[in-house]
Amino acid sequence: MVLLRIENCKKCTSLPPVGQLPSLKQLFIRGMAIVENIGVEFYGNGSSQPFRSLEALYFEDMEKWEKWSPNGEFPHLRELSIANCPKLLGKLPNHFPSLGKVVIQGCQQLVVSISNFPERCRLQIGGSEGVMRENKVVFNSLNSKSFSTISEFKSPIEGLILEGLAHVEYLNIENCEELTHLWSNDVGLLQSLPRLRYLKIGNYQKLYHLVDEAKEQPKQGMPSTHNGMEFLPKEIMYNNTCIERIEISGCDSLKHFAIGQLPPTLKRLCIQNCKSMIILLDEDDANSCNTSTSLLEFLEIWKCPSLKFLTSSVELLATLKHLDVKDCGKLVSIAKSEELPATLQHLTIWNCGQLESIAKSEELPATLQQLNIKYCRQLESIAKSFHHNSSLEKIKIWRCENLKSLPTGIHTLSHLDTIDIYNCPTLVSFPDGGLLPSNLRELTIFDNDMALPNCIHNITSLQKLTISGVSSFSEEGFPANLTSLEIVYCNITEALLEWGLHRLTSLQHLYIQGGCPNVESFPKKTLPASLATLAISCFQNLKYLSSLRDLASLQRLEIYFCKNLTSFPEDGLPPSLQKLIIEMCPLLKKHCKKDQGREWSKIAHIPCVVIDNRFVFDS
């Protein structure tokens, strides 16, 4: 027998002693669903020369296979393939003297050591192909311009050294837990990756250097062993002339990043989950590098819990346009000089609990277009004024419990489109007497005990207004051009209803939640005929709806948490209505039963009716 297939034996717990077959050349084992161990029984108990003629061995879809206990050699094996064996642990057998091809796919826990394979052996691991040569994996056969996931090697690789990536533009290396280095020091990176544009490195516990410097003498005072990557070498960072983007994540020992020695073509740098990083760029590197040619425009720093500063000098970020810092709990300031890059256009800072100020100077960069600050609970100051920020378009400030005031000069921002202030309890008013920009389109004041600015009715450009917790409003009310109004738990809600929402002749979307404990009938006055969406929620004492027939444009009606509401208007609902949503209104639900409830006839014409997350109509 020279060929044997063992497939889909669902009840077999072990493999037969096929190692005793003296002439067997090809062996396929597939779909052995409950086999957990392969050991001596596979080779044949007592056999002195198992698999003496075997040339090809294939394992596939062994979903519970965990342990392979090597017992003997495979002297003539030329091809080995292991696919979709996700629980296989440990290492491969260590003696394949004749092996010419190895394919390993979907074996996330298997450790693959290149010391197992002879010279010139071809490797295909997770879709990446290479050739063994002088204890290196050489990818000189690659022709594609985009080469990704050398560790789509989902299995850990020991001692991998990469060469011959002459055409690679995109390189993604992650989840290789056993890697200690990627390139040998005698291979220049310019020759190895001359076309690289995008480099992604992630999730390494043992990677201490991208280049193997074992041949060099260790510097005085430097340890001979490393627990992880502490820095990126200058040779790799500065010698590349094409790279535009670098991403590094999950390198727990990375402490430092020399921005001044980055490739001069680099535009985007992203660093995530680097637990030991304290500062991105320090004084020493600032003195040893030329930053005048830097093109860095995008910088993202996420989940670096030890980070205190991004840089010692803001001049080292002189070309930066987008800065995004999130989940850096010890961040004290952007730069030790407490300045921001003069070129900055977008600034996002989230969940940086130790940050007390954005910039100590009186103003933010004049180029700033978007300011986005969330969950900075110690933040007390943003800047003194906005007087020279004529490019600013959006301001979003959420959950900054200690923020006491906004910069002055908001009303001078001629391009400001959006102001969004959410849950800043110590912020009680707008500066400059509440003056706002004349071109403002969206305003949100949510969970803030503030008074609406008296001038709000004069902002004819305002289209969307969302308020919650607002304590008062002027007698003039709101601008007539509003298209969307959301009122959430405001003590002024009943006063607004008395004021007359019908004055808002352009209003299309109206949402009112709570703040009406005494209201039994809604609406008390006519609503705008322009309404397309009406949503009311948490009217605790609401018993019935007044006429809505004049709302000829109404397409969507939503009613939530109105436990005492029993009926719709006597004259029915507008014929234009396309969707009705009712949630947690038990009495109204009871009367809307299909073909039975007394209110059914009023809603039967509506194409889509949803009550407590269930469609009333089967269709």
Side-chain angles (χ1 to χ4, degrees):
M1 181 184 292
V2 295
L3 186 150
L4 175 62
R5 292 181 180 272
I6 305 174
E7 298 186 5
N8 299 318
C9 300
K10 304 296 184 181
K11 296 184 179 181
C12 286
T13 59
S14 62
L15 297 179
V18 291
Q20 295 179 348
L21 300 174
S23 302
L24 187 64
K25 291 186 177 183
Q26 291 183 300
L27 175 59
F28 296 82
I29 301 174
R30 178 177 178 271
M32 307 297 283
I34 62 174
V35 171
E36 297 181 1
N37 298 309
I38 295 179
V40 293
E41 78 289 342
F42 178 57
Y43 297 88
N45 291 319
S47 176
S48 59
Q49 290 183 323
F51 298 111
R52 67 182 67 176
S53 302
L54 192 66
E55 297 179 356
L57 175 60
Y58 303 90
F59 293 99
E60 185 176 346
D61 296 334
M62 306 278 284
E63 59 188 59
K64 291 190 176 182
W65 183 23
E66 295 183 1
K67 187 176 180 181
W68 186 0
S69 301
N71 183 23
E73 302 177 354
F74 294 85
H76 300 289
L77 192 67
R78 298 181 180 275
E79 185 170 342
L80 173 65
S81 176
I82 307 176
N84 300 325
C85 301
K87 293 187 177 182
L88 184 58
L89 298 167
K91 300 181 179 181
L92 295 174
N94 57 10
H95 191 66
F96 296 103
S98 303
L99 202 59
K101 182 179 180 180
V102 177
V103 178
I104 298 179
Q105 301 272 11
C107 302
Q108 292 87 340
Q109 302 184 65
L110 180 65
V111 175
V112 181
S113 176
I114 61 174
S115 62
N116 289 21
F117 310 128
E119 292 292 321
R120 302 292 177 177
C121 180
R122 299 187 63 84
L123 306 180
Q124 181 177 334
I125 304 179
S128 304
E129 297 183 7
V131 178
M132 280 294 303
R133 184 182 299 166
E134 297 178 355
N135 292 322
K136 302 178 177 112
V137 182
V138 181
F139 289 95
N140 54 10
S141 61
L142 287 174
N143 295 317
S144 63
K145 292 184 179 181
S146 177
F147 175 61
S148 65
T149 57
I150 281 181
S151 79
E152 230 173 38
F153 288 171
K154 290 294 184 183
S155 50
I157 312 296
E158 290 185 339
L160 178 65
I161 303 175
L162 309 179
E163 289 187 10
L165 305 179
H167 299 283
V168 172
E169 294 184 358
Y170 169 71
L171 183 59
N172 177 7
I173 309 172
E174 23 182 17
N175 300 320
C176 293
E177 297 178 0
E178 300 298 320
L179 275 181
T180 58
H181 58 269
L182 299 180
W183 284 273
S184 61
N185 199 42
D186 56 351
V187 179
L189 187 66
L190 270 174
Q191 287 73 36
S192 297
L193 299 171
R195 300 184 184 180
L196 186 65
R197 295 183 181 275
Y198 178 7
L199 172 63
K200 185 174 182 180
I201 302 172
N203 300 325
Y204 292 100
Q205 304 300 319
K206 297 185 179 181
L207 184 69
Y208 62 81
H209 210 302
L210 292 187
V211 174
D212 178 16
E213 296 181 333
K215 295 182 180 180
E216 295 186 358
Q217 294 297 323
K219 297 179 181 179
Q220 186 174 3
M222 290 294 290
S224 58
T225 60
H226 299 260
N227 292 324
M229 183 170 67
E230 297 184 1
F231 63 95
L232 297 180
K234 299 176 183 179
E235 296 86 354
I236 289 178
M237 291 296 96
Y238 201 65
N239 287 341
N240 189 287
T241 58
C242 294
I243 193 165
E244 297 178 354
R245 179 170 178 170
I246 294 176
E247 293 185 18
I248 299 176
S249 64
C251 297
D252 290 347
S253 297
L254 182 62
K255 297 179 179 179
H256 170 75
F257 205 96
I259 284 186
Q261 293 167 339
L262 291 178
T265 53
L266 188 69
K267 293 183 178 180
R268 192 177 196 117
L269 173 62
C270 306
I271 300 178
Q272 300 182 31
N273 294 302
C274 296
K275 297 178 181 179
S276 298
M277 180 173 287
I278 298 175
I279 185 170
L280 198 64
L281 177 62
D282 64 14
E283 301 274 352
D284 293 337
D285 288 305
N287 295 330
S288 64
C289 61
N290 177 13
T291 62
S292 60
T293 59
S294 173
L295 297 178
L296 189 66
E297 296 181 357
F298 294 82
L299 178 58
E300 296 179 9
I301 313 290
W302 293 5
K303 295 183 180 180
C304 296
S306 299
L307 186 71
K308 293 184 177 181
F309 306 98
L310 296 189
T311 176
S312 56
S313 173
V314 72
E315 294 178 358
L316 302 175
L317 301 174
T319 58
L320 200 64
K321 294 181 180 180
H322 294 250
L323 176 58
D324 192 335
V325 185
K326 296 178 181 177
D327 299 313
C328 297
K330 293 185 179 180
L331 186 73
V332 176
S333 68
I334 302 303
K336 286 185 177 181
S337 60
E338 298 181 324
E339 299 290 336
L340 294 174
T343 55
L344 201 61
Q345 297 178 3
H346 296 255
L347 175 60
T348 296
I349 304 178
W350 286 13
N351 199 24
C352 297
Q354 299 298 315
L355 189 67
E356 294 184 359
S357 64
I358 302 299
K360 289 294 185 182
S361 61
E362 294 187 354
E363 297 180 355
L364 297 171
T367 55
L368 196 64
Q369 297 175 9
Q370 295 190 18
L371 177 64
N372 188 344
I373 306 172
K374 294 184 179 181
Y375 312 109
C376 295
R377 291 178 169 81
Q378 298 301 318
L379 185 67
E380 296 182 358
S381 170
I382 295 174
K384 186 175 180 179
S385 75
F386 280 133
H387 285 293
H388 292 93
N389 294 107
S390 58
S391 299
L392 198 58
E393 299 173 356
K394 297 183 185 297
I395 298 174
K396 180 175 287 189
I397 305 172
W398 282 28
R399 290 191 180 275
C400 296
E401 283 89 341
N402 285 312
L403 184 63
K404 296 177 173 58
S405 63
L406 295 173
T408 60
I410 290 181
H411 64 288
T412 67
L413 305 178
S414 56
H415 289 89
L416 192 63
D417 176 86
T418 302
I419 298 177
D420 187 347
I421 301 175
Y422 178 86
N423 200 358
C424 299
T426 57
L427 193 61
V428 296
S429 65
F430 283 90
D432 307 310
L435 293 176
L436 295 175
S438 58
N439 293 320
L440 193 67
R441 286 196 320 111
E442 296 187 17
L443 175 61
T444 298
I445 305 174
F446 209 91
D447 278 356
N448 287 62
D449 189 15
M450 301 175 68
L452 280 177
N454 291 329
C455 67
I456 195 170
H457 64 282
N458 289 326
I459 307 176
T460 55
S461 60
L462 195 65
Q463 297 180 15
K464 183 177 181 180
L465 176 62
T466 302
I467 55 176
S468 172
V470 171
S471 56
S472 64
F473 73 106
S474 66
E475 293 181 359
E476 289 83 0
F478 303 137
N481 291 335
L482 271 183
T483 59
S484 176
L485 176 59
E486 185 172 345
I487 308 169
V488 180
Y489 284 108
C490 292
N491 293 330
I492 61 172
T493 303
E494 290 192 39
L496 278 172
L497 296 178
E498 291 293 338
W499 170 76
L501 295 177
H502 63 280
R503 303 183 189 185
L504 305 178
T505 54
S506 298
L507 196 65
Q508 298 179 22
H509 308 284
L510 175 61
Y511 177 59
I512 304 176
Q513 179 177 342
C516 298
N518 300 314
V519 170
E520 294 185 358
S521 173
F522 177 87
K524 289 186 176 183
K525 293 188 176 182
T526 307
L527 296 175
S530 55
L531 273 186
T533 301
L534 173 62
I536 60 174
S537 177
C538 301
F539 279 54
Q540 296 300 322
N541 291 305
L542 183 66
K543 294 182 179 179
Y544 54 93
L545 297 178
S546 301
S547 177
L548 300 173
R549 295 289 292 186
D550 291 337
L551 303 181
S553 301
L554 193 66
Q555 297 183 21
R556 186 183 182 103
L557 176 61
E558 303 176 16
I559 306 172
Y560 304 96
F561 298 98
C562 296
K563 61 181 181 180
N564 291 311
L565 182 62
T566 60
S567 63
F568 294 110
E570 292 184 2
D571 55 356
L573 295 173
S576 59
L577 204 60
Q578 297 295 307
K579 188 167 187 176
L580 173 64
I581 299 176
I582 302 171
E583 300 289 341
M584 301 304 293
C585 303
L587 298 180
L588 186 60
K589 176 182 179 180
K590 177 181 178 181
H591 297 308
C592 287
K593 289 185 178 181
K594 185 178 179 181
D595 298 325
Q596 298 179 22
R598 71 184 187 195
E599 300 295 307
W600 172 252
S601 61
K602 297 177 183 178
I603 66 173
H605 69 283
I606 303 173
C608 180
V609 178
V610 181
I611 301 179
D612 288 343
N613 289 316
R614 297 188 66 179
F615 288 93
V616 172
F617 305 109
D618 294 339
S619 60

